[in-house]
Amino acid sequence: MQRNKILIHLHTPKTAGTTLRKIITNNYHNSSYNVYLDESKRKERLRSLSKKNVSCIQGHFPFGIHKYLSKPCTYITMLRNPIDRVISEYYFIRRGTRHRLHQEVMKLSLEQYLRRPESMNVQTRYISGARGPLTRQHLEIAKKNIQKYFSIVGITEMFNESLFLMKNKFGWQNTSYEKENVTKARPSLNQISKTTLTELEKQNKLDIELYLFAKRLLEQKLINLDQQSKQELNTFLSKSNNQ
């Protein structure tokens, strides 16, 4: 358990982060705080939280907020297949009339949405803490941040395996969940044209490499489990699949 450190859940959009956020809240109760604010207000909020008995902070913010906190911190996050994440985000924004980008995105086809640089390689941007245009250097920074500051980087497509490792790492007792904030009425990948998928891959090269890097690390953590833990994982997966 790492209860002596503030747990920072870096919630990258459309990666099952809302589901994870509710699980975390159920385990930290009144010592968990959500910070979903723009940057100008976020710093003030974080500085005020550092004076309280905070165990966990969650929100849509880039890497680096630990600098505003007075206690030791550790990060967790979820990463998702970048192609699927962008498609999910696009249709989620179109469906969500209260989303700040709703009016803009309603005017864009998926192919036009791919031309918004700020909507591509979002996971690399979050994990690196980058500002402005992304470069390959930001990808390398993101990889180093994962290795140095993140206890666990989960994979959306391996949600239950990721949750098991987090549960064991932080001593969570309550890990039951229902999927939250799922994008409805969106096409599957096999319904997207090959041309569009190729362009998606082209525009998200950094995220694809980061995702594969994090997935390899997660798979290695699972391989390195001792025999008892592997048996517990199998039991956990069986129960989770039957929820």
Side-chain angles (χ1 to χ4, degrees):
M1 293 179 64
Q2 294 196 1
R3 292 281 186 172
N4 59 318
K5 293 184 178 181
I6 296 176
L7 176 65
I8 299 175
H9 171 208
L10 192 158
H11 181 180
T12 308
K14 304 311 299 173
T15 59
T18 301
T19 302
L20 180 58
R21 173 169 59 83
K22 290 206 171 184
I23 294 170
I24 292 172
T25 300
N26 288 338
N27 283 277
Y28 288 84
H29 304 294
N30 295 330
S31 62
S32 175
Y33 294 83
N34 297 324
V35 180
Y36 290 86
L37 301 168
D38 61 44
E39 185 175 1
S40 61
K41 298 178 181 178
R42 188 188 305 139
K43 292 180 182 179
E44 181 181 346
R45 173 67 167 153
L46 289 169
R47 289 193 175 105
S48 68
L49 286 179
S50 67
K51 301 174 184 177
K52 297 182 179 181
N53 184 26
V54 178
S55 296
C56 176
I57 295 175
Q58 309 189 71
H60 292 308
F61 42 68
F63 173 82
I65 72 162
H66 64 282
K67 299 172 185 176
Y68 302 105
L69 301 169
S70 56
K71 286 177 62 177
C73 303
T74 187
Y75 285 81
I76 61 171
T77 194
M78 299 291 293
L79 295 183
R80 181 178 182 178
N81 178 303
I83 307 306
D84 206 37
R85 195 207 70 81
V86 171
I87 294 171
S88 178
E89 181 178 68
Y90 169 74
Y91 285 98
F92 176 78
I93 294 172
R94 288 175 63 89
R95 180 172 61 85
T97 56
R98 295 184 179 181
H99 196 284
R100 64 183 179 84
L101 296 177
H102 175 73
Q103 293 298 326
E104 176 186 349
V105 173
M106 283 299 292
K107 301 174 184 177
L108 303 177
S109 66
L110 176 57
E111 290 72 22
Q112 290 170 325
Y113 186 69
L114 304 187
R115 298 172 195 157
R116 297 182 81 256
E118 61 270 36
S119 297
M120 303 299 109
N121 295 304
V122 167
Q123 296 174 111
T124 300
R125 183 176 300 281
Y126 266 66
I127 305 301
S128 67
R131 300 171 183 271
L134 289 175
T135 66
R136 184 164 184 86
Q137 183 179 5
H138 292 116
L139 170 63
E140 298 306 319
I141 291 171
K143 289 180 180 179
K144 289 178 181 178
N145 285 345
I146 284 174
Q147 293 176 309
K148 184 175 180 179
Y149 295 100
F150 285 74
S151 291
I152 296 171
V153 174
I155 296 296
T156 304
E157 294 79 7
M158 301 172 66
F159 186 85
N160 289 330
E161 290 89 342
S162 304
L163 180 58
F164 176 81
L165 293 176
M166 293 176 185
K167 174 183 77 75
N168 282 8
K169 184 73 172 180
F170 301 106
W172 297 347
Q173 299 298 315
N174 184 357
T175 55
S176 60
Y177 68 88
E178 293 182 4
K179 291 183 179 180
E180 301 282 346
N181 224 21
V182 177
T183 302
K184 300 177 181 178
R186 53 147 290 186
S188 61
L189 290 181
N190 59 16
Q191 293 174 305
I192 305 293
S193 73
K194 290 185 178 179
T195 301
T196 300
L197 291 176
T198 299
E199 187 64 20
L200 271 163
E201 292 177 2
K202 178 181 177 182
Q203 297 298 335
N204 288 276
K205 285 183 178 179
L206 300 181
D207 264 16
I208 290 171
E209 186 169 336
L210 183 67
Y211 169 80
L212 294 175
F213 172 79
K215 188 176 182 181
R216 286 193 294 270
L217 291 180
L218 183 73
E219 289 171 340
Q220 192 60 52
K221 286 180 185 292
L222 295 170
I223 290 172
N224 291 342
L225 290 173
D226 59 38
Q227 195 58 40
Q228 181 178 341
S229 295
K230 288 181 178 177
Q231 291 175 355
E232 292 173 356
L233 171 61
N234 290 333
T235 301
F236 182 80
L237 293 177
S238 178
K239 290 181 178 179
S240 297
N241 292 333
N242 292 325
Q243 283 190 121

